[in-house]
Amino acid sequence: MINNLCCRNKLVLGWMMLARMYSRETIKELLNPTEGICKILMSHPKSGLDTALDQSGIRVSPDVVEEVIKRFENAGMLTFRFFEWAGMQRNYEHSIRAYHTMIESLAKIRQYKIVWDLVNIMRSKRMLNIETFCIIMRKYARAQKVDEAIYTFNVMETYGVPPNLAAFNGLLSALCKSKNVRKAQEIFDSMKERFTPESKTYSILIEGWGRDPNLPKAREIFREMVDMGCNPDIVTYGIMVDIFCKAGRVEEGVEIVTDMDVKGCKPTSFIYSVLIHTYGIENQIERAVETFLEMERNGVEVDVAVYNALISAFCKVNKFQNTYRVLIEMESKGVRPNSRTCNIILNSLIGQGQTDEAFRVFRKMIKICDPDADTYTMMIKMFCARDELEMAHMVWNYMKSKQFVPSMHTFSALINGLCDNGDVSKACVLLEEMIEKGLRPSRVTFGRLRQLLIKEGRQDVLEFLNQKLNLLVKEPLFD
C-alpha cells in the first residue's frame, strides 16, 4: 500500500512539473504526438517546418510517423520534409511501412528521383522487398510510364531482390489496371515459362481484358486457365461476373453465379454487390432489391459495399426516401457508412439540383463517417456553382479543422470558383498554399489563373508563381 501511495505521489508530482513547464495545449500535443505533428504540418509552410517541429518537443515513434505520413499522403513535398526531419531524430529509424507510404506519396506527384533515392537508402539498410518494387511499378503504370514500370521489374535483381511470381503478378496487375493489358499479355506470353502462372495471374489478365473491354479475349484466357489445370477460385468468378455486368450482359453474369452454386462455390458479398449495382444502373430496382433479399436468405453477411450498391440503385431512380431507410437499417445492423456512402447520395442529390438537401445530408453524414477528398470537392464545387463562396469557404475551413489535407482536385475546385467570381488575389494565395504543400496544379487550373493575371497586368505575380512551380517540378506548366 505504501509503495502504491509513493507511485501515486510521484505521478501527481510529475504532472505538476509538466504543467509548470508547458501550456495545456503543448501537454496535449506531447501526450498525443500524432495530433500535435498534424497541427504543425497544417499551419506551417515548408520553410519553417523543421524549426516548429524542433521547438514542439514532440518525440516520434514508428507508429506516429507512419500515421502522419498516411494522413498527409496528398501533401507531397511537405510530407517529405517531415519524413526527413523524423529520420534525423535520436533513437528513431524509419520502418519499411514508412518508406513505402512515403514512396507512394512522392510518386503521386512524380518526384521519381527522390523515390529512387529512398530505394537506394533502403538498399543500404537491407530493407528492400518485393512490395517496394510493386508500389513503384503501380505508380509508374498509373502515370502511363509503361517503360519505366517494366524497367523497375527488370532491375529488381540488381537491387538484391530477385523477382518472383508475386512481383510478376504485380507488374501484370499494374499494367492491366492502367489500361495497358496488351503490353501485360505480351509480357505474360514471353515470361510464363519463367514464372509458372497461378489462378491469381490468370485472374489479373481476365480482369484486364474485361476492362479493355474485350470479352472474347477474357473468355480465351479463362479457358486457357482451366486447360492449364488452374481451377478458377472465388476471385476469378467475381471478376467474370463483374466484367459481364459492366458490359451490360448481366444475364451471363447471373449464369456464372448459378454455375458457382452447382459447383458448391458460394457467391460472396462482392458478387452480390456487383449484381445489385448493375440492376441499379439498368433501372431494374425490383431485381436489385430481390437480389439483396436473396443474399440475406442465403446467409451471406451484408457489408457496406452491398449497402452502397443498394443505395446507388435507389438514388438512380430518385427514391431518396428509400435511401434514407437503408441508412437506418445500416445503423440497426451495426454497419457503419463510409465516405463512399456519403458521396453516392451527395452526387445524386446535386445531379438532381437538390443542393439544399445535399447540404443537409452532408451535415448529417459527417457526424457518422469521415468525408474523403471527393466529398469535400463535391461540396465546394456545389457552393461555387451556386455562387456561394462563403459557404464554399466554410466547407474548406471545416475540412482544415479536421486536419484533412486537400487533394489537387479539392484545391482546384475552390481556385476555379474564386476565378469565376473574379477574386484573383485569393485564388493566387490558395495556389501558393497548394504549391507549398507540394501539390502541382493542373494545366487547366493554372491556365485560367494565368489568363486572369495577364488580363489584370499582374505579370509580376505570375512570374512569382512560376518560380514557385519550378522549384516544385522540373517542367514548368507554361514556357
Side-chain angles (χ1 to χ4, degrees):
M1 183 172 177
I2 293 172
N3 285 338
N4 288 340
L5 192 60
C6 287
C7 287
R8 249 184 243 156
N9 287 339
K10 283 181 181 178
L11 190 61
V12 172
L13 185 61
W15 274 104
M16 289 174 65
M17 289 177 66
L18 196 63
R20 285 177 191 159
M21 290 169 61
Y22 301 107
S23 68
R24 183 178 297 177
E25 198 64 31
T26 305
I27 292 171
K28 279 183 184 178
E29 291 171 4
L30 290 171
L31 293 174
N32 191 341
T34 302
E35 295 302 322
I37 291 168
C38 289
K39 184 179 175 183
I40 292 168
L41 289 175
M42 290 296 292
S43 58
H44 285 78
K46 286 190 296 179
S47 55
L49 184 61
D50 289 14
T51 303
L53 288 167
D54 286 336
Q55 291 176 349
S56 70
I58 294 172
R59 291 185 180 181
V60 294
S61 67
D63 287 345
V64 168
V65 172
E66 289 166 14
E67 176 65 23
V68 171
I69 296 171
K70 190 64 186 170
R71 279 209 214 176
F72 282 75
E73 61 184 344
N74 288 331
M77 295 306 294
L78 180 70
T79 309
F80 182 61
R81 282 297 298 273
F82 163 71
F83 179 84
E84 286 189 305
W85 174 85
M88 292 186 290
Q89 301 310 297
R90 190 180 302 170
N91 300 321
Y92 171 81
E93 288 285 337
H94 285 309
S95 65
I96 293 175
R97 187 181 169 204
Y99 274 109
H100 284 175
T101 311
M102 193 68 251
I103 285 171
E104 286 195 82
S105 178
L106 289 166
K108 194 183 288 186
I109 57 170
R110 306 193 180 196
Q111 291 287 353
Y112 301 117
K113 183 183 180 303
I114 304 177
V115 164
W116 285 102
D117 287 343
L118 292 183
V119 170
N120 285 320
I121 292 169
M122 290 181 74
R123 173 166 62 173
S124 70
K125 296 182 176 185
R126 298 175 183 247
M127 297 174 78
L128 290 173
N129 59 27
I130 296 294
E131 180 60 18
T132 313
F133 293 92
C134 285
I135 290 168
I136 299 170
M137 287 188 284
R138 282 199 301 270
K139 292 300 181 180
Y140 271 138
R142 191 170 294 176
Q144 294 303 315
K145 292 181 177 288
V146 174
D147 291 340
E148 288 85 345
I150 297 168
Y151 166 83
T152 303
F153 178 82
N154 290 333
V155 297
M156 288 178 68
E157 191 103 46
T158 311
Y159 282 86
V161 184
N164 58 11
L165 181 58
F168 184 55
N169 287 344
L171 175 61
L172 296 180
S173 178
L175 295 173
C176 286
K177 286 180 177 174
S178 60
K179 298 187 177 179
N180 290 291
V181 65
R182 284 165 180 75
K183 176 56 80 172
Q185 186 69 53
E186 180 187 315
I187 291 169
F188 172 82
D189 291 337
S190 65
M191 290 190 180
K192 61 184 176 183
E193 300 301 322
R194 181 180 168 193
F195 303 100
T196 305
E198 59 183 0
S199 60
K200 183 176 181 179
T201 317
Y202 286 109
S203 296
I204 289 166
L205 288 173
I206 291 167
E207 186 174 26
W209 285 114
R211 285 169 179 250
D212 190 50
N214 188 329
L215 291 184
K217 188 68 178 177
R219 282 199 187 95
E220 180 188 321
I221 300 299
F222 183 83
R223 284 193 298 270
E224 180 184 333
M225 173 185 182
V226 175
D227 292 343
M228 293 301 293
C230 273
N231 292 322
D233 57 15
I234 193 68
V235 175
T236 315
Y237 281 123
I239 289 168
M240 290 297 288
V241 172
D242 190 38
I243 64 177
F244 277 120
C245 287
K246 281 178 178 169
R249 299 165 77 161
V250 66
E251 295 309 322
E252 290 182 63
V254 172
E255 283 176 20
I256 292 172
V257 175
T258 305
D259 187 46
M260 288 172 66
D261 280 333
V262 171
K263 292 178 180 177
C265 191
K266 193 176 180 181
T268 61
S269 61
F270 168 75
I271 290 173
Y272 280 112
S273 72
V274 168
L275 291 172
I276 293 166
H277 179 72
T278 305
Y279 287 134
I281 289 173
E282 295 183 352
N283 291 330
Q284 298 186 52
I285 190 64
E286 293 82 6
R287 293 193 71 177
V289 173
E290 182 186 317
T291 304
F292 178 83
L293 295 174
E294 178 190 323
M295 177 184 177
E296 289 190 314
R297 284 195 301 270
N298 289 341
V300 180
E301 186 177 348
V302 183
D303 58 18
V304 67
V306 176
Y307 277 119
N308 284 349
L310 187 60
I311 285 170
S312 179
F314 282 128
C315 286
K316 184 74 167 53
V317 292
N318 299 326
K319 290 183 177 290
F320 292 107
Q321 290 307 314
N322 294 61
T323 293
Y324 302 146
R325 290 192 191 101
V326 173
L327 288 175
I328 293 168
E329 181 179 325
M330 288 175 73
E331 185 179 0
S332 69
K333 294 283 182 70
V335 180
R336 186 183 176 87
N338 58 19
S339 58
R340 176 72 183 145
T341 318
C342 182
N343 295 345
I344 291 167
I345 301 170
L346 291 179
N347 188 54
S348 298
L349 288 169
I350 293 168
Q352 289 295 316
Q354 298 186 45
T355 51
D356 288 336
E357 177 67 4
F359 186 45
R360 187 192 71 79
V361 169
F362 172 76
R363 284 184 319 219
K364 182 179 178 181
M365 293 297 287
I366 58 178
K367 295 174 184 175
I368 55 177
C369 67
D370 294 324
D372 63 8
D374 289 340
T375 318
Y376 290 120
T377 303
M378 256 192 288
M379 294 307 296
I380 289 167
K381 272 186 178 178
M382 182 189 85
F383 283 121
C384 287
R386 284 172 43 158
D387 200 23
E388 295 181 23
L389 269 296
E390 273 189 35
M391 295 298 292
H393 277 293
M394 189 184 78
V395 174
W396 181 270
N397 292 334
Y398 174 81
M399 174 186 68
K400 295 189 86 171
S401 74
K402 292 293 180 181
Q403 296 181 347
F404 186 93
V405 181
S407 69
M408 182 269 285
H409 297 292
T410 316
F411 268 109
S412 296
L414 189 50
I415 291 170
N416 289 333
L418 290 166
C419 287
D420 289 338
N421 201 49
D423 201 337
V424 182
S425 296
K426 284 185 180 176
C428 287
V429 170
L430 204 58
L431 185 73
E432 186 182 358
E433 181 186 337
M434 181 181 184
I435 297 168
E436 284 286 350
K437 283 187 165 43
L439 295 174
R440 182 186 180 192
S442 69
R443 290 179 181 272
V444 173
T445 299
F446 191 78
R448 290 189 68 191
L449 191 53
R450 177 177 181 268
Q451 287 178 341
L452 288 171
L453 286 169
I454 291 172
K455 187 177 178 181
E456 292 186 3
R458 299 170 70 180
Q459 276 83 0
D460 56 332
V461 178
L462 180 60
E463 180 60 29
F464 170 76
L465 292 173
N466 253 323
Q467 286 174 2
K468 284 262 186 185
L469 273 171
N470 289 336
L471 291 173
L472 178 62
V473 289
K474 289 183 178 179
E475 64 276 8
L477 290 177
F478 292 93
D479 296 327

